[in-house]
Amino acid sequence: MSEVGRKRVAVLVSGRGTNMTALIEAAKDPAYPAGIVRVISNRPEAKALETAGKAGIATSVVDHRTFDSRQAHEAALGDVLAREAPDIICLAGYMRILTGDFVRRYAGRMLNIHPSLLPAFPGTDTHERALAAGVRIHGASVHFVTEGVDEGPVIAQAAVPVLPSDDAGALAARVLAAENRLYPHALRLVAGGAAKLAEGRVVLAGGPVAAPGEALFSPPLGNLP
């Protein structure tokens, strides 16, 4: 696929950027329907910025600590995005809760990855909570971003087993490995037109329709670790 035909993707990060790296690696394939055009972080010390730079991806820092309000920070972030004009925005460990105004501006074009099988365990400490609940299956979800935290319609999910020997660290590592495969898969679905947001639901081409909060499993990814 030529660069002209690929969707332009901006990635927002706050930390090490393992899922960002997975997206960058996937986009190296000329047949992949999306290209990463810029990585933006709210933290200048984020390891992801160095990783993106080494991969030849343009980077920007919009440090939230230098603004006196969430709205002012988001206005500056919006200016960077406006100059880049991405088709899709991927949140990849972006540790900021976005305002409703900002989310609505990019409705249907902003994706997030969350380390649980939504709607189970939204928010933080997902692995500890999964272990405390005694679940046997845990995993990750990619969803469209809506105004409610981790409440957007699910695009794709990947499940991993919870083992009797697991602590939160071991479970987190297994889920992260699944995330690194799942996010490029979900972005491919959206960028390639196989998944879209329509009237608050995710529609998969030739597949089922999922309402917000329903657990829609993606087309098969193969055996996950």
Side-chain angles (χ1 to χ4, degrees), residues 68-95:
D68 59 9
S69 70
R70 189 176 298 273
Q71 288 76 14
H73 174 248
E74 289 184 356
L77 177 59
D79 288 343
V80 175
L81 289 169
R83 290 193 294 270
E84 203 60 68
D87 300 295
I88 300 169
I89 300 168
C90 288
L91 309 185
Y94 188 64
M95 304 305 290

